[in-house]
């Protein structure tokens, strides 16, 4: 099979899932989005589960590419302000260019609640975030413990659906209408600073 066409179909399936949700992910919809003859997607991915799997694998690939880009950009920030900028940038990406991937990912997580095999495909994304974010917090000189690092990671994960839904009232109530201020607030709660500017340990 043509690998370029396969990737075109995979990207189309991801965008269909992001835009139309789980019910909208059909072979016909993927064919239309990829602008290929009807029946092409079914030739490559014969079942709906096969479509779900290939979108999940594509999400994992895109996640790894994003993490590689971050690594190539240089070492983790060595101070608190740099960490704020890094985490703010990740949240802003969710609401911007990363929006289709994250919408598809959330749809897949819902499907995964009923399909254990799909949860296994997606697991590397969430599982990788915890050590990566812990390393970033440690590099920034914070008083890291595994528990504190996990709290920060879980809060960032919890913010994602609200950023995607774009409910103005929710964004204001949570502070996510200003992602940088939100991130600073989370770090201030988890890693409070004394009046002298040092962290409480």
């Amino acid at each position: 099979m043509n690998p370029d066409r396969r990737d075109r179909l995979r990207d189309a399936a991801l965008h269909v899932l992001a835009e139309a949700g789980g019910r909208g992910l059909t072979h016909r919809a993927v064919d239309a989005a990829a602008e290929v003859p009807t029946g092409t997607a079914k030739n490559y991915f014969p079942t709906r589960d096969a479509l779900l799997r290939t979108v999940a694998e594509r999400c994992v690939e895109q996640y790894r590419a994003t993490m590689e880009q971050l690594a190539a950009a240089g070492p983790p920030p060595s101070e608190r302000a740099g960490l704020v900028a890094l985490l703010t940038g990740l949240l802003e990406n969710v609401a911007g260019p990363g929006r289709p991937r994250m919408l598809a990912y959330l749809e897949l997580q819902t499907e995964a609640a009923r399909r254990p095999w799909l949860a296994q495909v997606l697991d590397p994304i969430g599982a990788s975030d915890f050590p990566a974010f812990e390393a970033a917090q440690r590099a920034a000189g914070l008083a890291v413990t595994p528990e504190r690092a996990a709290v920060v990671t879980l809060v960032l994960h919890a913010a994602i659906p609200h950023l995607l839904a774009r409910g103005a009232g929710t964004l204001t109530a949570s502070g996510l209408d200003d992602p940088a201020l939100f991130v600073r607030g989370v770090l201030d709660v988890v890693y409070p600073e004394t009046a002298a500017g040092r962290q409480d340990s």
Side-chain angles (χ1 to χ4, degrees):
M1 290 187 175
N2 186 320
D4 291 336
R5 174 166 283 193
R6 183 175 184 274
D7 282 345
R8 183 175 176 182
L9 288 164
R10 297 171 76 206
D11 288 335
L14 187 152
H15 281 275
V16 168
L17 184 59
E19 294 174 6
R23 290 186 178 181
L25 183 65
T26 65
H27 291 93
R28 186 177 294 274
V30 174
D31 286 335
E35 299 180 338
V36 296
T38 300
T40 303
K42 200 166 186 65
N43 287 336
Y44 282 78
F45 313 108
T47 65
R48 185 169 183 278
D49 278 357
L51 277 178
L52 289 170
R53 178 180 291 277
T54 200
V55 176
E57 291 170 347
R58 197 59 158 170
C59 283
V60 172
E61 289 171 9
Q62 291 184 1
Y63 169 83
R64 287 176 173 158
T66 298
M67 298 306 287
E68 287 172 4
Q69 289 171 4
L70 288 174
S78 59
E79 77 291 330
R80 193 183 189 105
L83 179 62
V84 169
L86 172 65
L87 298 181
T88 299
L90 291 175
L91 291 182
E92 290 174 341
N93 178 269
V94 167
R99 180 177 170 81
R101 175 176 64 85
M102 293 309 305
L103 281 170
Y105 175 66
L106 290 184
E107 291 285 346
L108 288 167
Q109 283 190 310
T110 300
E111 294 276 356
R114 298 180 291 274
R115 292 173 168 81
W117 63 265
L118 186 55
Q120 292 179 2
V121 177
L122 294 172
D123 192 51
I125 294 178
S128 296
D129 271 353
F130 287 91
F133 285 13
E134 179 175 341
Q137 292 167 63
R138 197 176 301 280
L142 303 181
V144 174
T145 65
E147 294 77 15
R148 286 176 170 176
V151 166
V152 172
T153 303
L154 286 169
V155 169
L156 294 173
H157 282 190
I160 290 172
H162 300 305
L163 288 168
L164 294 173
R166 297 173 174 168
T170 301
L171 293 179
T172 299
S174 64
L176 283 166
D177 54 339
D178 186 336
L181 187 61
F182 174 81
V183 170
R184 283 196 296 271
V186 170
L187 294 180
D188 286 347
V189 170
V190 179
Y191 301 105
E193 293 183 304
T194 65
R198 295 181 178 178
Q199 299 172 59
D200 291 335
S201 58

